[in-house]
Amino acid sequence: MLAFVVRRLLQSVIVMLVVAFIAFLVFRYVGDPVTSMLGQDSTIADHEELRERLGLNQPFYIQFYHFVTNALQGQFGISYRLQQPVAKLIMERLPATIELALASATIALVGGVVMGIYTALRPRAFTSGVIMTASLIGVSLPTFLIGIGLIYVFAVELKVLPSFGRGTVTDIGWWRTGLLTESGLRSLILPAITLSLFQLTLIMRLVRAEMLEVLRTDYIRFARARGLSTRAINFGHALRNTMVPVITITGLQLGSVIAFAIITETVFQWPGVGSLFVNSVQVVDVPVMAAYLVFVALVFVVINLFVDILYFIVDPRLRDGVRSGK
Amino acid sequence: MTEPVLSVKNLIVDFPFHNTNFRAVNDISFDIMPGEVVGVVGESGAGKSMTGSAVIGLIERPGRITSGEILLKGQRIDNLPEADRAKLRGKRIGMVFQDPLTSLNPLYTIGRQLIETIRTHLPLSEEQARQRAIDLLTEAGIPKAADRIDAYPHQFSGGMRQRVVIALAIAAGPELIIADEPTSALDVSVQAQIIKVLKELCSNHGAAVMLITHDMGVIAQTADRMVVMHQGKIVETGTVGDIIRRPREPYTVKLINSIPTIASDRSGAPASAPANDDGAFVQIKGLVRDFELGGGSFTKVFKSKTEIFRAVSDVSFSIQKGKTYGLVGESGSGKSTCAKMIVGLIRPTEGKILVDGHDVWAGGAGERERRKRVQMIFQDPYASLNPRWRVADIIAEPMRTLGIATNKGEVEGRVADLLNKVRLDPSVMRKFPHEFSGGQRQRIAIARALSSQPEFIVCDEPTSALDVSVQAQVLDLMRALQDEFGLTYLLISHNLAVVRQMSSAVGVLHNGVLVESGPTDDIFDNPQADYTRMLLDAVPDISKVA
């Protein structure tokens, strides 16, 4: 187990280094940072001086080394647009994104698994048909359309929920949360639903397909032949086997919820990392973009690591597989 | 007269499809007495498994019992509501399935699955149930059951898992056990042990057994009475001895005659001793294959030494032209690894394979020679033919690839000719593989192998997936083709009877080592190695019927 985690960690480090390298290339070679920082009306002497000060005339690998060591200390430079440290900007906005992502992942996971199990156990029921048809809509409609539709219905027509922002927020240390106030929670509802809808349908269809597959296997037949109760078979034996492949997809989906909440954040003017990224792209704020790239990679690597460990806990075959090396 | 444990009366099981109806079980009646072992024998599609499913109430949709009665100890059970039927399962009727590798939930320990079953049916505490589980496992022949109860299914071998499955089936002390092909997925030596365990456990617990199998040999050794089924109907019922010695119905006669037996004095195959090894057509010299165990790049970098598993260890034999060499052994003995090395699918670690003097692993030239001369027939005719291709394309592919025939008319002529050779109508070349039965598919596979006009064909378990009567036909065909074209065969099989019938020389493989090799009759009648003797003793044979 430990060897496995160590191996995974090493692989993660390699991935992160590669991503950092790409981020570094973007940072260093997309446009001239010196020109971007000093503006048009500066002298060549100013340029040289800044170059010297920023270490831009040092060899390539030394610059990369500095980039990595700085990144490890959480320093990604200063945003051109906002003239603030990038790390600080991201940390300020991270809580908003994480709260939104966790809320929508919870909705997607709970809703998807419950509905998936229901439609698998009662494939012929009328409700299952309704759910399956509705899920088609969930997969095929683009996120921004769902967001705008929800805003129209609940904010414009019914006027029950706010259509943008986070509502009132409270600071707990550096973490700025919207979960403690009523307006914060109400603001969370629409974006969370919008963001979760696609994942929800995906998880639901996946759970359904896997569960139907598992219910056809010999060990489920044998469990029936042993006279176990339907409940024990469906929820004890079938569900856990269903979860093995679902974990992978769900993990990756959670990653993309955190990393690519951009559209939802834009539609709802949610002050998260995604909207920071969009605003930065518009003005070619390279340090922010590079940092965002590294951040997204980190999210995926960490989630992947968790997924692998979870696999270990769920499937005993893997534990042995690693131990004996087969 | 005691009351039968199970009484099936005029049972009909139907599978209604859109506008047709498939009658899987057609008006069958039989009884099973307490403590009796009744064998139900028949070929695939005979309705034997369906009968078992009907008794335990696990027929899958859209199948249903159309008419008839099933009585358990005189009480009618087929019309009970599902909830009541579910209570009978495991408690009064237990079931053992064919494949022990897939019968157990891979994510739970065997102890958990046993305790769960026991506590569902018996009012025992967790502790008592655990103790009973350990007792059952010990009884089923699992060594150190108390230690192994918390192991997962994948930590057991196939035979051990089937013991666990049997322990599970009798956990709540049912009156009837339905064993559906309980040993078909196992090696012969393991098979014999499992039959013994099943029989012992059931007689200790006073359970009657309904033993469903296609293997007449298993029934001959195990059952008291037998029921022969064919196309959903019962053809013949009687004691095992009566039916095997004096079958009355033509179908039963045909079934019994098509079973190859290891004791048979063979009709055709010549028993010529290999005169001189150097002149042999195929020569295998010191073949070795190692597999590295474990570890991706990480282990390779950080550990200098990786574990090595030697799948095939210094195997040498030779085959005369036009003869058949049989290679027998249990699963994991390295038979298929040998076959793959000989046809050029995996590279040997050491050793030489010469076909007509050409080394099949000698670079590009060797590869060209090999492709033309050596072909292979695989075990599973359902998996070895591309389902999206027409038969004509499947058979023509080797000719086209090797440039034997390129012109369309010529290819078609050759394909038609080959189909005739394997006794199929040439008009079938427009069809797809799924339109054929298993035996017909294996004929197509043979036609494909012949398509490149090879001299040497490696047959890896060519009949294991087929019914006995079909097996006999395919073996006959292989023999006829051998005579016609002077083919040389390497026949790989776990079925000793098939090997005895077909080959002039035999090699016995055990854990990658060739323990014995020589003329067929010598090995079968006078085995030298202990392992060969053990293997021969383990074969269930209808001629051994008491």
PDB file of all heavy atoms in Angstrom, chain A residues 165-189:
ATOM      1  N   GLY A 165     -23.732  36.632  -8.201  1.00  0.00           N
ATOM      2  CA  GLY A 165     -22.956  36.925  -6.998  1.00  0.00           C
ATOM      3  C   GLY A 165     -23.086  35.837  -5.946  1.00  0.00           C
ATOM      4  O   GLY A 165     -23.732  34.810  -6.150  1.00  0.00           O
ATOM      5  N   ARG A 166     -22.440  36.096  -4.798  1.00  0.00           N
ATOM      6  CA  ARG A 166     -22.429  35.112  -3.727  1.00  0.00           C
ATOM      7  C   ARG A 166     -23.312  35.501  -2.557  1.00  0.00           C
ATOM      8  O   ARG A 166     -23.358  34.794  -1.558  1.00  0.00           O
ATOM      9  CB  ARG A 166     -21.009  34.914  -3.191  1.00  0.00           C
ATOM     10  CG  ARG A 166     -20.073  34.244  -4.135  1.00  0.00           C
ATOM     11  CD  ARG A 166     -18.743  33.992  -3.463  1.00  0.00           C
ATOM     12  NE  ARG A 166     -18.801  32.854  -2.537  1.00  0.00           N
ATOM     13  CZ  ARG A 166     -17.843  32.569  -1.666  1.00  0.00           C
ATOM     14  NH1 ARG A 166     -16.800  33.350  -1.559  1.00  0.00           N
ATOM     15  NH2 ARG A 166     -17.939  31.513  -0.894  1.00  0.00           N
ATOM     16  N   GLY A 167     -23.994  36.630  -2.624  1.00  0.00           N
ATOM     17  CA  GLY A 167     -24.773  37.072  -1.467  1.00  0.00           C
ATOM     18  C   GLY A 167     -23.852  37.551  -0.371  1.00  0.00           C
ATOM     19  O   GLY A 167     -22.711  37.954  -0.623  1.00  0.00           O
ATOM     20  N   THR A 168     -24.324  37.512   0.860  1.00  0.00           N
ATOM     21  CA  THR A 168     -23.514  37.958   1.985  1.00  0.00           C
ATOM     22  C   THR A 168     -22.500  36.885   2.358  1.00  0.00           C
ATOM     23  O   THR A 168     -22.854  35.717   2.438  1.00  0.00           O
ATOM     24  CB  THR A 168     -24.412  38.216   3.219  1.00  0.00           C
ATOM     25  OG1 THR A 168     -25.620  38.785   2.750  1.00  0.00           O
ATOM     26  CG2 THR A 168     -23.736  39.129   4.199  1.00  0.00           C
ATOM     27  N   VAL A 169     -21.252  37.309   2.557  1.00  0.00           N
ATOM     28  CA  VAL A 169     -20.234  36.319   2.888  1.00  0.00           C
ATOM     29  C   VAL A 169     -19.631  36.623   4.252  1.00  0.00           C
ATOM     30  O   VAL A 169     -19.676  37.762   4.733  1.00  0.00           O
ATOM     31  CB  VAL A 169     -19.116  36.287   1.831  1.00  0.00           C
ATOM     32  CG1 VAL A 169     -19.638  35.700   0.539  1.00  0.00           C
ATOM     33  CG2 VAL A 169     -18.553  37.675   1.611  1.00  0.00           C
ATOM     34  N   THR A 170     -19.097  35.590   4.890  1.00  0.00           N
ATOM     35  CA  THR A 170     -18.467  35.743   6.194  1.00  0.00           C
ATOM     36  C   THR A 170     -17.012  35.310   6.059  1.00  0.00           C
ATOM     37  O   THR A 170     -16.727  34.362   5.336  1.00  0.00           O
ATOM     38  CB  THR A 170     -19.141  34.809   7.227  1.00  0.00           C
ATOM     39  OG1 THR A 170     -20.473  34.556   6.802  1.00  0.00           O
ATOM     40  CG2 THR A 170     -19.120  35.419   8.601  1.00  0.00           C
ATOM     41  N   ASP A 171     -16.106  35.958   6.763  1.00  0.00           N
ATOM     42  CA  ASP A 171     -14.707  35.543   6.717  1.00  0.00           C
ATOM     43  C   ASP A 171     -14.380  34.645   7.894  1.00  0.00           C
ATOM     44  O   ASP A 171     -14.631  35.008   9.045  1.00  0.00           O
ATOM     45  CB  ASP A 171     -13.781  36.774   6.768  1.00  0.00           C
ATOM     46  CG  ASP A 171     -13.781  37.475   5.419  1.00  0.00           C
ATOM     47  OD1 ASP A 171     -13.955  36.791   4.405  1.00  0.00           O
ATOM     48  OD2 ASP A 171     -13.642  38.716   5.403  1.00  0.00           O
ATOM     49  N   ILE A 172     -13.839  33.488   7.606  1.00  0.00           N
ATOM     50  CA  ILE A 172     -13.300  32.638   8.666  1.00  0.00           C
ATOM     51  C   ILE A 172     -11.821  32.513   8.369  1.00  0.00           C
ATOM     52  O   ILE A 172     -11.425  31.755   7.496  1.00  0.00           O
ATOM     53  CB  ILE A 172     -13.954  31.249   8.665  1.00  0.00           C
ATOM     54  CG1 ILE A 172     -15.473  31.369   8.809  1.00  0.00           C
ATOM     55  CG2 ILE A 172     -13.378  30.390   9.789  1.00  0.00           C
ATOM     56  CD1 ILE A 172     -16.201  30.068   8.632  1.00  0.00           C
ATOM     57  N   GLY A 173     -11.007  33.238   9.078  1.00  0.00           N
ATOM     58  CA  GLY A 173      -9.594  33.313   8.716  1.00  0.00           C
ATOM     59  C   GLY A 173      -9.504  33.875   7.303  1.00  0.00           C
ATOM     60  O   GLY A 173     -10.157  34.871   6.978  1.00  0.00           O
ATOM     61  N   TRP A 174      -8.732  33.171   6.445  1.00  0.00           N
ATOM     62  CA  TRP A 174      -8.622  33.659   5.064  1.00  0.00           C
ATOM     63  C   TRP A 174      -9.739  33.112   4.192  1.00  0.00           C
ATOM     64  O   TRP A 174      -9.900  33.479   3.052  1.00  0.00           O
ATOM     65  CB  TRP A 174      -7.272  33.285   4.493  1.00  0.00           C
ATOM     66  CG  TRP A 174      -7.034  31.790   4.477  1.00  0.00           C
ATOM     67  CD1 TRP A 174      -6.539  31.046   5.488  1.00  0.00           C
ATOM     68  CD2 TRP A 174      -7.342  30.894   3.421  1.00  0.00           C
ATOM     69  NE1 TRP A 174      -6.519  29.743   5.137  1.00  0.00           N
ATOM     70  CE2 TRP A 174      -7.003  29.616   3.853  1.00  0.00           C
ATOM     71  CE3 TRP A 174      -7.873  31.059   2.129  1.00  0.00           C
ATOM     72  CZ2 TRP A 174      -7.180  28.484   3.068  1.00  0.00           C
ATOM     73  CZ3 TRP A 174      -8.037  29.930   1.341  1.00  0.00           C
ATOM     74  CH2 TRP A 174      -7.703  28.662   1.811  1.00  0.00           C
ATOM     75  N   TRP A 175     -10.489  32.167   4.724  1.00  0.00           N
ATOM     76  CA  TRP A 175     -11.540  31.515   3.936  1.00  0.00           C
ATOM     77  C   TRP A 175     -12.810  32.353   3.982  1.00  0.00           C
ATOM     78  O   TRP A 175     -13.377  32.566   5.045  1.00  0.00           O
ATOM     79  CB  TRP A 175     -11.795  30.113   4.500  1.00  0.00           C
ATOM     80  CG  TRP A 175     -12.731  29.286   3.668  1.00  0.00           C
ATOM     81  CD1 TRP A 175     -14.087  29.368   3.701  1.00  0.00           C
ATOM     82  CD2 TRP A 175     -12.401  28.297   2.725  1.00  0.00           C
ATOM     83  NE1 TRP A 175     -14.613  28.476   2.818  1.00  0.00           N
ATOM     84  CE2 TRP A 175     -13.598  27.797   2.188  1.00  0.00           C
ATOM     85  CE3 TRP A 175     -11.184  27.766   2.252  1.00  0.00           C
ATOM     86  CZ2 TRP A 175     -13.625  26.802   1.226  1.00  0.00           C
ATOM     87  CZ3 TRP A 175     -11.236  26.779   1.308  1.00  0.00           C
ATOM     88  CH2 TRP A 175     -12.441  26.303   0.789  1.00  0.00           C
ATOM     89  N   ARG A 176     -13.260  32.805   2.831  1.00  0.00           N
ATOM     90  CA  ARG A 176     -14.463  33.633   2.767  1.00  0.00           C
ATOM     91  C   ARG A 176     -15.618  32.753   2.333  1.00  0.00           C
ATOM     92  O   ARG A 176     -15.674  32.313   1.198  1.00  0.00           O
ATOM     93  CB  ARG A 176     -14.226  34.769   1.766  1.00  0.00           C
ATOM     94  CG  ARG A 176     -15.423  35.625   1.527  1.00  0.00           C
ATOM     95  CD  ARG A 176     -15.032  36.893   0.833  1.00  0.00           C
ATOM     96  NE  ARG A 176     -14.237  37.742   1.708  1.00  0.00           N
ATOM     97  CZ  ARG A 176     -13.800  38.936   1.334  1.00  0.00           C
ATOM     98  NH1 ARG A 176     -14.034  39.382   0.107  1.00  0.00           N
ATOM     99  NH2 ARG A 176     -13.107  39.669   2.166  1.00  0.00           N
ATOM    100  N   THR A 177     -16.515  32.450   3.278  1.00  0.00           N
ATOM    101  CA  THR A 177     -17.561  31.480   2.969  1.00  0.00           C
ATOM    102  C   THR A 177     -18.916  32.145   2.771  1.00  0.00           C
ATOM    103  O   THR A 177     -19.230  33.152   3.404  1.00  0.00           O
ATOM    104  CB  THR A 177     -17.661  30.404   4.070  1.00  0.00           C
ATOM    105  OG1 THR A 177     -18.734  29.532   3.735  1.00  0.00           O
ATOM    106  CG2 THR A 177     -17.943  31.020   5.427  1.00  0.00           C
ATOM    107  N   GLY A 178     -19.718  31.555   1.888  1.00  0.00           N
ATOM    108  CA  GLY A 178     -21.088  32.012   1.686  1.00  0.00           C
ATOM    109  C   GLY A 178     -22.077  31.014   2.255  1.00  0.00           C
ATOM    110  O   GLY A 178     -23.279  31.130   2.042  1.00  0.00           O
ATOM    111  N   LEU A 179     -21.548  30.009   2.954  1.00  0.00           N
ATOM    112  CA  LEU A 179     -22.425  28.934   3.402  1.00  0.00           C
ATOM    113  C   LEU A 179     -23.137  29.257   4.716  1.00  0.00           C
ATOM    114  O   LEU A 179     -24.015  28.528   5.141  1.00  0.00           O
ATOM    115  CB  LEU A 179     -21.621  27.640   3.587  1.00  0.00           C
ATOM    116  CG  LEU A 179     -20.981  27.066   2.323  1.00  0.00           C
ATOM    117  CD1 LEU A 179     -20.180  25.824   2.638  1.00  0.00           C
ATOM    118  CD2 LEU A 179     -22.038  26.760   1.270  1.00  0.00           C
ATOM    119  N   LEU A 180     -22.715  30.347   5.389  1.00  0.00           N
ATOM    120  CA  LEU A 180     -23.248  30.595   6.725  1.00  0.00           C
ATOM    121  C   LEU A 180     -24.421  31.566   6.734  1.00  0.00           C
ATOM    122  O   LEU A 180     -25.119  31.678   7.730  1.00  0.00           O
ATOM    123  CB  LEU A 180     -22.142  31.118   7.644  1.00  0.00           C
ATOM    124  CG  LEU A 180     -20.995  30.119   7.848  1.00  0.00           C
ATOM    125  CD1 LEU A 180     -19.894  30.731   8.693  1.00  0.00           C
ATOM    126  CD2 LEU A 180     -21.512  28.838   8.490  1.00  0.00           C
ATOM    127  N   THR A 181     -24.639  32.246   5.627  1.00  0.00           N
ATOM    128  CA  THR A 181     -25.763  33.181   5.621  1.00  0.00           C
ATOM    129  C   THR A 181     -26.851  32.677   4.682  1.00  0.00           C
ATOM    130  O   THR A 181     -26.589  31.906   3.763  1.00  0.00           O
ATOM    131  CB  THR A 181     -25.321  34.570   5.122  1.00  0.00           C
ATOM    132  OG1 THR A 181     -24.804  34.395   3.795  1.00  0.00           O
ATOM    133  CG2 THR A 181     -24.279  35.171   6.007  1.00  0.00           C
ATOM    134  N   GLU A 182     -28.071  33.134   4.928  1.00  0.00           N
ATOM    135  CA  GLU A 182     -29.176  32.662   4.116  1.00  0.00           C
ATOM    136  C   GLU A 182     -29.011  33.136   2.672  1.00  0.00           C
ATOM    137  O   GLU A 182     -29.188  32.370   1.737  1.00  0.00           O
ATOM    138  CB  GLU A 182     -30.493  33.177   4.701  1.00  0.00           C
ATOM    139  CG  GLU A 182     -31.680  32.394   4.188  1.00  0.00           C
ATOM    140  CD  GLU A 182     -32.953  33.221   4.251  1.00  0.00           C
ATOM    141  OE1 GLU A 182     -33.093  34.016   5.188  1.00  0.00           O
ATOM    142  OE2 GLU A 182     -33.779  33.076   3.334  1.00  0.00           O
ATOM    143  N   SER A 183     -28.626  34.399   2.501  1.00  0.00           N
ATOM    144  CA  SER A 183     -28.502  34.910   1.131  1.00  0.00           C
ATOM    145  C   SER A 183     -27.370  34.208   0.390  1.00  0.00           C
ATOM    146  O   SER A 183     -27.446  33.954  -0.805  1.00  0.00           O
ATOM    147  CB  SER A 183     -28.291  36.419   1.149  1.00  0.00           C
ATOM    148  OG  SER A 183     -26.929  36.710   1.386  1.00  0.00           O
ATOM    149  N   GLY A 184     -26.315  33.825   1.134  1.00  0.00           N
ATOM    150  CA  GLY A 184     -25.211  33.104   0.520  1.00  0.00           C
ATOM    151  C   GLY A 184     -25.675  31.743   0.017  1.00  0.00           C
ATOM    152  O   GLY A 184     -25.353  31.333  -1.097  1.00  0.00           O
ATOM    153  N   LEU A 185     -26.441  31.049   0.858  1.00  0.00           N
ATOM    154  CA  LEU A 185     -26.931  29.735   0.466  1.00  0.00           C
ATOM    155  C   LEU A 185     -27.877  29.829  -0.716  1.00  0.00           C
ATOM    156  O   LEU A 185     -27.825  29.032  -1.641  1.00  0.00           O
ATOM    157  CB  LEU A 185     -27.635  29.067   1.654  1.00  0.00           C
ATOM    158  CG  LEU A 185     -26.698  28.535   2.743  1.00  0.00           C
ATOM    159  CD1 LEU A 185     -27.502  28.009   3.927  1.00  0.00           C
ATOM    160  CD2 LEU A 185     -25.803  27.434   2.193  1.00  0.00           C
ATOM    161  N   ARG A 186     -28.765  30.872  -0.655  1.00  0.00           N
ATOM    162  CA  ARG A 186     -29.716  31.023  -1.756  1.00  0.00           C
ATOM    163  C   ARG A 186     -28.996  31.341  -3.061  1.00  0.00           C
ATOM    164  O   ARG A 186     -29.400  30.879  -4.128  1.00  0.00           O
ATOM    165  CB  ARG A 186     -30.732  32.121  -1.416  1.00  0.00           C
ATOM    166  CG  ARG A 186     -31.840  31.637  -0.499  1.00  0.00           C
ATOM    167  CD  ARG A 186     -32.473  32.810   0.245  1.00  0.00           C
ATOM    168  NE  ARG A 186     -32.808  33.900  -0.660  1.00  0.00           N
ATOM    169  CZ  ARG A 186     -33.998  34.041  -1.239  1.00  0.00           C
ATOM    170  NH1 ARG A 186     -34.943  33.167  -0.992  1.00  0.00           N
ATOM    171  NH2 ARG A 186     -34.227  35.032  -2.053  1.00  0.00           N
ATOM    172  N   SER A 187     -27.908  32.093  -2.966  1.00  0.00           N
ATOM    173  CA  SER A 187     -27.146  32.417  -4.177  1.00  0.00           C
ATOM    174  C   SER A 187     -26.486  31.191  -4.761  1.00  0.00           C
ATOM    175  O   SER A 187     -26.217  31.115  -5.951  1.00  0.00           O
ATOM    176  CB  SER A 187     -26.056  33.437  -3.860  1.00  0.00           C
ATOM    177  OG  SER A 187     -26.602  34.542  -3.234  1.00  0.00           O
ATOM    178  N   LEU A 188     -26.200  30.213  -3.882  1.00  0.00           N
ATOM    179  CA  LEU A 188     -25.469  29.029  -4.327  1.00  0.00           C
ATOM    180  C   LEU A 188     -26.357  28.097  -5.143  1.00  0.00           C
ATOM    181  O   LEU A 188     -25.868  27.354  -6.011  1.00  0.00           O
ATOM    182  CB  LEU A 188     -24.920  28.302  -3.092  1.00  0.00           C
ATOM    183  CG  LEU A 188     -23.959  27.133  -3.308  1.00  0.00           C
ATOM    184  CD1 LEU A 188     -22.717  27.602  -4.034  1.00  0.00           C
ATOM    185  CD2 LEU A 188     -23.572  26.523  -1.970  1.00  0.00           C
ATOM    186  N   ILE A 189     -27.672  28.138  -4.874  1.00  0.00           N
ATOM    187  CA  ILE A 189     -28.556  27.106  -5.442  1.00  0.00           C
ATOM    188  C   ILE A 189     -28.488  27.041  -6.966  1.00  0.00           C
ATOM    189  O   ILE A 189     -28.176  25.991  -7.543  1.00  0.00           O
ATOM    190  CB  ILE A 189     -30.019  27.341  -4.990  1.00  0.00           C
ATOM    191  CG1 ILE A 189     -30.104  27.172  -3.469  1.00  0.00           C
ATOM    192  CG2 ILE A 189     -30.958  26.359  -5.671  1.00  0.00           C
ATOM    193  CD1 ILE A 189     -31.453  27.481  -2.883  1.00  0.00           C
TER     194      ILE A 189
END
